[in-house]
Amino acid sequence: FSAGVVTVSGAGTTVDVTAPYCLLQGQQGVTVSDGAQVRGTSQSDNALYTLSGAITVTGQGTLVDVSSYYCLIQAPAGVTVSDGAKVTGQTSDSAIFSSTGPIVVTGQGTTVDATAVYCLLQGNAAITVSGGAKVTGTARQSNAIYTSAGAVTVTGKGTLVDIVSSYYCLIQAPAG
């Protein structure tokens, strides 16, 4: 836990932990980048969480492979997974959630692959999957990608959204 931003950065840097609460929590944000790896299980909370900031997972070789009771990643100001980073895991909630900021998954080799009880990507603003990124997995009891406000955009050569949603829609967005 940090009152500021938690940063895990650099190839060879690994955080591997099982915890009753968050694995990484920064009040102002969380960044995992440049080949760092975060692995573990949050037994009763979100895996990566920020109270007021954004969460960024970026860079070739960067991996967040976690399981959690609540969201794998939750950030009110937005979530970005980019530039070849990978987010994988299982959750009893939505995989990635942002209450007010955008969710962006972008860049060749960038992957979000999760099994979630609810949505894989869920928010109250725009959601974008682009630039050859891949979002795959299973949403067991909800829409696969859902925003209550804003649009969902899937664009770019090689971009893939391949999600099994056994309950509702693949994508639901009131604004388009």
Side-chain angles (χ1 to χ4, degrees):
F1 171 81
S2 168
V5 176
V6 170
T7 301
V8 180
S9 184
T13 303
T14 301
V15 174
D16 191 346
V17 64
T18 296
Y21 300 108
C22 299
L23 304 180
L24 299 177
Q25 180 179 354
Q27 292 291 87
Q28 302 300 314
V30 174
T31 299
V32 182
S33 65
D34 301 321
Q37 298 191 355
V38 176
R39 294 187 169 105
T41 300
S42 171
Q43 297 166 329
S44 61
D45 211 334
N46 301 294
L48 279 65
Y49 175 75
T50 178
L51 180 64
S52 61
I55 293 180
T56 301
V57 180
T58 188
Q60 196 67 33
T62 302
L63 173 68
V64 172
D65 181 15
V66 294
S67 296
S68 60
Y69 183 79
Y70 292 118
C71 300
L72 301 178
I73 299 174
Q74 182 174 343
V79 176
T80 300
V81 182
S82 66
D83 301 322
K86 295 184 182 349
V87 173
T88 63
Q90 296 183 13
T91 177
S92 298
D93 204 325
S94 293
I96 295 176
F97 176 74
S98 179
S99 58
T100 58
I103 296 172
V104 178
V105 181
T106 189
Q108 194 66 37
T110 302
T111 302
V112 173
D113 181 23
T115 298
V117 170
Y118 302 113
C119 306
L120 262 66
L121 306 177
Q122 179 183 3
N124 298 320
I127 297 174
T128 303
V129 181
S130 66
K134 295 177 177 26
V135 177
T136 60
T138 302
R140 289 190 230 135
Q141 294 181 14
S142 189
N143 302 300
I145 299 175
Y146 172 79
T147 180
S148 63
V152 173
T153 304
V154 178
T155 185
K157 184 177 178 181
T159 302
L160 173 70
V161 173
D162 185 11
I163 303 169
V164 175
S165 179
S166 59
Y167 214 70
Y168 294 115
C169 306
L170 173 63
I171 298 173
Q172 183 178 357

